[in-house]
Short mmCIF file of all heavy atoms in Angstrom, two decimals:
data_model
loop_
_atom_site.label_atom_id
_atom_site.label_comp_id
_atom_site.label_asym_id
_atom_site.label_seq_id
_atom_site.Cartn_x
_atom_site.Cartn_y
_atom_site.Cartn_z
N VAL F 790 12.37 2.65 1.20
CA VAL F 790 12.19 1.49 2.06
C VAL F 790 12.00 2.05 3.56
O VAL F 790 12.86 2.85 3.93
CB VAL F 790 13.45 0.61 1.98
CG1 VAL F 790 13.32 -0.52 3.04
CG2 VAL F 790 13.73 0.10 0.69
N ILE F 791 10.89 1.77 4.11
CA ILE F 791 10.46 2.23 5.43
C ILE F 791 11.17 1.29 6.47
O ILE F 791 10.50 0.16 6.70
CB ILE F 791 9.00 2.45 5.64
CG1 ILE F 791 8.52 3.35 4.56
CG2 ILE F 791 8.79 3.14 7.02
CD1 ILE F 791 7.10 3.69 4.54
N ASP F 792 12.28 1.62 7.06
CA ASP F 792 13.00 0.62 7.86
C ASP F 792 12.84 0.99 9.34
O ASP F 792 13.68 0.62 10.14
CB ASP F 792 14.41 0.54 7.44
CG ASP F 792 15.13 1.92 7.57
OD1 ASP F 792 14.33 2.88 7.88
OD2 ASP F 792 16.23 1.99 7.22
N HIS F 793 11.72 1.44 9.74
CA HIS F 793 11.35 1.75 11.13
C HIS F 793 11.53 0.36 11.94
O HIS F 793 10.97 -0.64 11.50
CB HIS F 793 10.00 2.31 11.33
CG HIS F 793 9.66 2.79 12.66
ND1 HIS F 793 9.49 2.04 13.71
CD2 HIS F 793 9.58 4.01 13.13
CE1 HIS F 793 9.29 2.75 14.84
NE2 HIS F 793 9.35 3.99 14.48
N PRO F 794 12.19 0.33 13.09
CA PRO F 794 12.34 -0.88 13.74
C PRO F 794 11.10 -1.68 14.09
O PRO F 794 10.97 -2.97 13.97
CB PRO F 794 13.06 -0.49 15.13
CG PRO F 794 13.62 0.75 14.82
CD PRO F 794 12.76 1.47 13.76
N LEU F 795 9.97 -0.93 14.37
CA LEU F 795 8.75 -1.67 14.64
C LEU F 795 8.11 -2.24 13.39
O LEU F 795 7.67 -3.47 13.51
CB LEU F 795 7.65 -0.72 15.17
CG LEU F 795 7.94 -0.07 16.59
CD1 LEU F 795 6.81 0.94 16.82
CD2 LEU F 795 7.65 -1.14 17.62
N ILE F 796 8.36 -1.73 12.25
CA ILE F 796 7.91 -2.22 10.98
C ILE F 796 8.68 -3.50 10.65
O ILE F 796 8.21 -4.52 10.34
CB ILE F 796 7.87 -1.22 9.88
CG1 ILE F 796 6.96 -0.11 10.22
CG2 ILE F 796 7.56 -1.95 8.55
CD1 ILE F 796 6.95 1.01 9.06
N GLN F 797 10.01 -3.33 10.92
CA GLN F 797 10.88 -4.52 10.53
C GLN F 797 10.56 -5.76 11.46
O GLN F 797 10.63 -6.84 10.97
CB GLN F 797 12.33 -4.06 10.59
CG GLN F 797 12.76 -2.95 9.50
CD GLN F 797 12.55 -3.39 8.16
OE1 GLN F 797 12.77 -4.54 7.81
NE2 GLN F 797 11.79 -2.61 7.35
N HIS F 798 10.37 -5.39 12.67
CA HIS F 798 10.08 -6.49 13.62
C HIS F 798 8.78 -7.27 13.22
O HIS F 798 8.73 -8.46 13.12
CB HIS F 798 9.91 -5.90 15.10
CG HIS F 798 9.60 -6.93 16.10
ND1 HIS F 798 10.50 -7.73 16.63
CD2 HIS F 798 8.40 -7.25 16.59
CE1 HIS F 798 9.89 -8.51 17.45
NE2 HIS F 798 8.63 -8.35 17.49
N LYS F 799 7.83 -6.50 12.94
CA LYS F 799 6.47 -7.07 12.65
C LYS F 799 6.54 -7.90 11.26
O LYS F 799 5.92 -8.76 10.97
CB LYS F 799 5.28 -5.98 12.61
CG LYS F 799 5.12 -5.44 13.86
CD LYS F 799 4.07 -4.28 13.93
CE LYS F 799 4.02 -3.55 15.19
NZ LYS F 799 3.31 -4.28 16.29
N LEU F 800 7.36 -7.26 10.30
CA LEU F 800 7.59 -7.85 9.00
C LEU F 800 8.23 -9.25 9.22
O LEU F 800 7.90 -10.24 8.50
CB LEU F 800 8.38 -7.02 8.15
CG LEU F 800 8.83 -7.58 6.76
CD1 LEU F 800 7.51 -7.87 6.00
CD2 LEU F 800 9.68 -6.57 6.01
N THR F 801 9.09 -9.40 10.12
CA THR F 801 9.81 -10.71 10.31
C THR F 801 8.68 -11.67 10.78
O THR F 801 8.72 -12.84 10.36
CB THR F 801 10.93 -10.57 11.34
OG1 THR F 801 12.02 -9.63 10.77
CG2 THR F 801 11.57 -11.92 11.55
N LEU F 802 7.80 -11.15 11.70
CA LEU F 802 6.82 -12.12 12.34
C LEU F 802 5.87 -12.52 11.17
O LEU F 802 5.49 -13.64 10.98
CB LEU F 802 6.00 -11.38 13.37
CG LEU F 802 6.85 -11.02 14.64
CD1 LEU F 802 5.84 -10.36 15.62
CD2 LEU F 802 7.35 -12.23 15.28
N ILE F 803 5.47 -11.56 10.32
CA ILE F 803 4.55 -11.99 9.28
C ILE F 803 5.16 -12.77 8.19
O ILE F 803 4.61 -13.59 7.62
CB ILE F 803 4.03 -10.62 8.65
CG1 ILE F 803 2.54 -10.63 8.27
CG2 ILE F 803 4.78 -10.22 7.39
CD1 ILE F 803 1.98 -9.38 7.98
N ARG F 804 6.41 -12.75 8.04
CA ARG F 804 7.06 -13.70 7.02
C ARG F 804 7.03 -15.12 7.50
O ARG F 804 6.98 -16.05 6.69
CB ARG F 804 8.53 -13.30 6.87
CG ARG F 804 8.87 -12.08 6.08
CD ARG F 804 10.32 -11.99 5.90
NE ARG F 804 10.84 -10.70 5.42
CZ ARG F 804 10.98 -10.33 4.16
NH1 ARG F 804 10.58 -11.25 3.19
NH2 ARG F 804 11.50 -9.29 3.81
N ASP F 805 7.01 -15.34 8.73
CA ASP F 805 7.23 -16.68 9.42
C ASP F 805 6.12 -17.54 9.01
O ASP F 805 4.88 -17.25 9.16
CB ASP F 805 7.24 -16.49 10.89
CG ASP F 805 7.66 -17.70 11.74
OD1 ASP F 805 7.44 -18.82 11.21
OD2 ASP F 805 8.35 -17.61 12.69
N THR F 808 3.13 -18.23 11.34
CA THR F 808 2.26 -17.27 11.74
C THR F 808 0.88 -17.56 11.05
O THR F 808 0.74 -17.60 9.81
CB THR F 808 2.71 -15.81 11.33
OG1 THR F 808 3.87 -15.54 12.00
CG2 THR F 808 1.64 -14.75 11.58
N PHE F 813 -1.52 -13.01 11.33
CA PHE F 813 -1.06 -12.38 10.02
C PHE F 813 -1.98 -11.11 9.75
O PHE F 813 -1.45 -10.08 9.43
CB PHE F 813 -1.32 -13.43 8.89
CG PHE F 813 -0.53 -13.00 7.56
CD1 PHE F 813 0.71 -13.42 7.24
CD2 PHE F 813 -1.25 -12.10 6.72
CE1 PHE F 813 1.33 -13.03 6.16
CE2 PHE F 813 -0.61 -11.81 5.47
CZ PHE F 813 0.71 -12.24 5.23
N LEU F 816 -1.08 -8.28 12.22
CA LEU F 816 0.21 -7.72 11.97
C LEU F 816 0.18 -6.81 10.66
O LEU F 816 0.80 -5.72 10.68
CB LEU F 816 1.32 -8.72 11.78
CG LEU F 816 1.65 -9.51 13.03
CD1 LEU F 816 2.44 -10.86 12.80
CD2 LEU F 816 2.70 -8.58 13.82
N LEU F 817 -0.48 -7.33 9.67
CA LEU F 817 -0.47 -6.51 8.49
C LEU F 817 -1.25 -5.26 8.74
O LEU F 817 -0.85 -4.11 8.16
CB LEU F 817 -1.27 -7.38 7.34
CG LEU F 817 -1.26 -6.77 5.99
CD1 LEU F 817 0.03 -6.49 5.39
CD2 LEU F 817 -2.08 -7.72 5.01
N GLU F 819 -1.36 -3.59 11.52
CA GLU F 819 -0.53 -2.69 12.26
C GLU F 819 0.56 -2.16 11.43
O GLU F 819 0.96 -0.96 11.54
CB GLU F 819 0.15 -3.53 13.43
CG GLU F 819 -0.90 -3.92 14.61
CD GLU F 819 -0.30 -4.97 15.56
OE1 GLU F 819 0.91 -5.23 15.35
OE2 GLU F 819 -1.05 -5.55 16.23
N ILE F 820 1.24 -2.98 10.54
CA ILE F 820 2.36 -2.46 9.71
C ILE F 820 1.68 -1.38 8.74
O ILE F 820 2.31 -0.32 8.53
CB ILE F 820 2.89 -3.57 8.84
CG1 ILE F 820 3.57 -4.58 9.82
CG2 ILE F 820 3.93 -3.07 7.83
CD1 ILE F 820 4.13 -5.80 9.14
N LEU F 823 1.55 1.92 10.56
CA LEU F 823 2.84 2.51 10.70
C LEU F 823 3.41 3.08 9.39
O LEU F 823 4.00 4.08 9.32
CB LEU F 823 3.93 1.51 11.33
CG LEU F 823 3.52 1.09 12.75
CD1 LEU F 823 4.32 -0.18 13.07
CD2 LEU F 823 3.79 2.22 13.73
N MET F 824 3.26 2.26 8.34
CA MET F 824 3.61 2.81 6.95
C MET F 824 2.85 4.09 6.64
O MET F 824 3.41 4.94 6.06
CB MET F 824 3.61 1.77 5.95
CG MET F 824 4.47 0.60 6.12
SD MET F 824 4.47 -0.65 4.79
CE MET F 824 5.40 0.30 3.64
N PRO F 916 0.05 -5.67 -0.52
CA PRO F 916 1.22 -6.14 0.16
C PRO F 916 2.30 -6.52 -0.67
O PRO F 916 3.46 -6.35 -0.31
CB PRO F 916 0.72 -7.12 1.14
CG PRO F 916 -0.72 -7.44 0.75
CD PRO F 916 -1.20 -6.43 -0.09
N MET F 917 1.95 -7.07 -1.85
CA MET F 917 3.10 -7.79 -2.72
C MET F 917 3.31 -6.95 -3.94
O MET F 917 2.36 -6.74 -4.73
CB MET F 917 2.79 -9.06 -2.94
CG MET F 917 2.31 -10.01 -1.73
SD MET F 917 3.53 -9.81 -0.41
CE MET F 917 4.79 -10.95 -0.96
N CYS F 943 3.53 -0.80 -0.57
CA CYS F 943 3.39 -2.31 -0.48
C CYS F 943 4.24 -2.68 0.75
O CYS F 943 4.83 -1.81 1.41
CB CYS F 943 4.00 -3.04 -1.75
SG CYS F 943 5.52 -2.52 -2.30
N LEU F 944 4.24 -4.00 1.02
CA LEU F 944 4.86 -4.52 2.22
C LEU F 944 6.28 -5.05 1.83
O LEU F 944 7.29 -4.76 2.36
CB LEU F 944 3.99 -5.60 2.84
CG LEU F 944 4.50 -6.22 4.07
CD1 LEU F 944 4.72 -5.13 5.13
CD2 LEU F 944 3.61 -7.31 4.61
N VAL F 945 6.30 -6.05 0.82
CA VAL F 945 7.47 -6.59 0.27
C VAL F 945 7.46 -6.39 -1.29
O VAL F 945 6.46 -6.69 -1.98
CB VAL F 945 7.40 -8.12 0.61
CG1 VAL F 945 8.76 -8.72 0.06
CG2 VAL F 945 7.28 -8.29 2.09
N ALA F 946 8.63 -6.04 -1.72
CA ALA F 946 8.75 -5.77 -3.11
C ALA F 946 9.98 -6.67 -3.63
O ALA F 946 10.86 -6.90 -3.05
CB ALA F 946 8.94 -4.27 -3.45
N THR F 965 7.92 0.70 0.52
CA THR F 965 7.81 -0.65 0.90
C THR F 965 8.64 -0.80 2.24
O THR F 965 9.40 -0.02 2.51
CB THR F 965 8.43 -1.48 -0.19
OG1 THR F 965 8.27 -2.84 0.18
CG2 THR F 965 9.90 -1.27 -0.50
N ALA F 966 8.27 -1.90 2.92
CA ALA F 966 9.04 -2.22 4.08
C ALA F 966 10.28 -3.09 3.74
O ALA F 966 11.18 -3.12 4.56
CB ALA F 966 8.20 -2.96 5.12
N ALA F 967 10.28 -3.70 2.71
CA ALA F 967 11.53 -4.41 2.27
C ALA F 967 11.55 -4.58 0.74
O ALA F 967 10.55 -4.73 0.09
CB ALA F 967 11.40 -5.77 2.91
N VAL F 968 12.74 -4.61 0.26
CA VAL F 968 13.08 -5.04 -1.22
C VAL F 968 13.81 -6.38 -1.02
O VAL F 968 14.87 -6.36 -0.61
CB VAL F 968 13.83 -3.99 -2.01
CG1 VAL F 968 14.07 -4.49 -3.46
CG2 VAL F 968 13.10 -2.69 -2.07
N ASP F 969 13.14 -7.42 -1.39
CA ASP F 969 13.77 -8.72 -1.22
C ASP F 969 14.72 -9.06 -2.37
O ASP F 969 15.07 -8.28 -3.24
CB ASP F 969 12.71 -9.77 -1.24
CG ASP F 969 12.11 -9.88 0.35
OD1 ASP F 969 12.41 -9.03 1.13
OD2 ASP F 969 11.23 -10.81 0.60
N GLY F 981 10.25 -13.38 0.58
CA GLY F 981 8.80 -13.01 0.60
C GLY F 981 8.06 -13.41 1.86
O GLY F 981 8.67 -13.44 3.00
N LEU F 982 6.95 -13.78 1.63
CA LEU F 982 5.98 -14.29 2.76
C LEU F 982 4.89 -15.27 2.22
O LEU F 982 4.08 -15.65 2.87
CB LEU F 982 5.40 -13.18 3.52
CG LEU F 982 4.60 -12.04 2.69
CD1 LEU F 982 3.32 -12.51 2.15
CD2 LEU F 982 4.53 -10.86 3.62
N ARG F 988 -2.91 -16.05 2.82
CA ARG F 988 -2.57 -16.11 4.26
C ARG F 988 -3.40 -15.08 5.02
O ARG F 988 -3.75 -15.29 6.23
CB ARG F 988 -1.09 -15.55 4.36
CG ARG F 988 -0.08 -16.73 3.84
CD ARG F 988 1.31 -16.54 4.39
NE ARG F 988 1.47 -16.79 5.69
CZ ARG F 988 2.60 -16.52 6.42
NH1 ARG F 988 3.61 -16.04 5.75
NH2 ARG F 988 2.73 -16.64 7.72
#
Side-chain angles (χ1 to χ4, degrees):
V790 178
I791 306 180
D792 57 1
H793 190 289
L795 289 175
I796 295 177
Q797 294 303 315
H798 178 82
K799 290 171 194 290
L800 175 59
T801 300
L802 297 178
I803 217 170
R804 285 185 192 275
D805 193 326
T808 299
F813 192 96
L816 286 161
L817 185 59
E819 288 165 13
I820 296 173
L823 293 165
M824 290 186 76
M917 309 309 280
C943 52
L944 183 61
V945 180
T965 185
V968 179
D969 277 6
L982 49 77
R988 293 195 67 187

